[in-house]
Amino acid sequence: MVVVDFSHGFTDPSYPTGADMTAAVLATARMLEAARAAGAPVVFTTIAYDPAQTAGLTWLRKATGMAALTSGSRLVEIDDRLDRRPEEHLVVKTGASAFFGTALATYLTSLRVDTVVVAGATTSGCVRATVVDAVQYGFPTLVPRDCVADRAPGPHAANLFDIDEKYGDVVDLADVLGYLAETGAAPAEATALPGTDPGRPTTTHPKSEVPA
């Protein structure tokens, strides 16, 4: 489970980078409870900048509000409703993807992870970038639509569509909860639709072939 940037800076609408993401945060909390019960690794990410980075990074010239995400501030702390545990890995990043400039791929490989479930914010930004990189690193990737959020419905819907067509499988939270229940109890008995990978849930609607 990779929970992308559900920090107060994104989930608290009083901050310049924030929006009300309550529904997605609470859905993610449910997913994390199931993941912990099943023994699945949980990773959180947060964006945090030191003063030198806020003065010099090219990304912050475009996304100026992101400069408020300073190291040590409340904005970069994980939302309390997700109850991050001390043993759950935290990736501190300065770019969009959880993989860019971090050791996340190495960490997941060391755990012999074969499927990545991506939740978090924002769907059109850091979630999408993380999904694209996860696939490029060779990890089959699931995105529970209930557990991701954006600041506007249009980019959210468009990017879920694009992710599902090109990069991963967009599924319901219920699919992931069922997968975790099966995996935690009896990994060898996980079921799937004909022609799909038996190790992970999949959507049931047909997908067109869209070139990347």
Side-chain angles (χ1 to χ4, degrees):
M1 302 290 149
V2 177
V3 182
V4 178
D5 297 352
F6 264 164
S7 62
H8 293 296
F10 287 98
T11 63
D12 186 337
S14 68
Y15 293 125
T17 51
D20 184 3
M21 300 181 178
T22 298
V25 170
L26 295 180
T28 301
R30 287 186 59 201
M31 184 181 72
L32 291 176
E33 288 180 6
R36 290 160 180 153
V42 174
V43 177
F44 288 89
T45 81
T46 188
I47 297 178
Y49 300 107
D50 63 33
Q53 291 171 318
T54 58
L57 285 179
T58 302
W59 189 20
L60 301 185
R61 298 175 193 167
K62 182 70 174 180
T64 55
M66 301 280 287
L69 301 172
T70 56
S71 300
S73 70
R74 181 177 182 272
L75 282 77
V76 306
E77 296 175 359
I78 302 301
D79 192 304
D80 300 326
R81 293 170 290 184
L82 299 178
D83 190 27
R84 176 180 168 254
R85 311 295 171 79
E87 68 273 15
E88 292 170 345
H89 186 43
L90 177 66
V91 173
V92 179
K93 63 190 181 73
T94 58
S97 170
F99 292 91
F100 180 78
T102 76
L104 179 57
T106 301
Y107 178 72
L108 297 179
T109 300
S110 72
L111 297 178
R112 299 183 180 179
V113 166
D114 62 5
T115 302
V116 174
V117 180
V118 178
T122 60
T123 315
S124 61
C126 296
V127 167
R128 179 195 173 99
T130 297
V131 170
V132 171
D133 277 357
V135 173
Q136 291 179 143
Y137 274 109
F139 298 106
T141 304
L142 305 177
V143 179
R145 58 172 56 85
D146 316 71
C147 299
V148 292
D150 212 312
R151 299 181 188 87
H156 173 74
N159 280 275
L160 283 180
F161 174 84
D162 206 43
I163 288 169
D164 198 41
E165 290 291 330
K166 296 179 181 178
Y167 305 111
D169 286 324
V170 176
V171 299
D172 294 326
L173 172 60
D175 296 322
V176 177
L177 295 179
Y179 170 56
L180 287 168
E182 287 184 339
T183 301
E189 297 177 3
T191 59
L193 296 175
T196 64
D197 181 346
R200 60 192 179 106
T202 183
T203 49
T204 57
H205 63 280
K207 293 172 63 177
S208 61
E209 293 295 329
V210 179

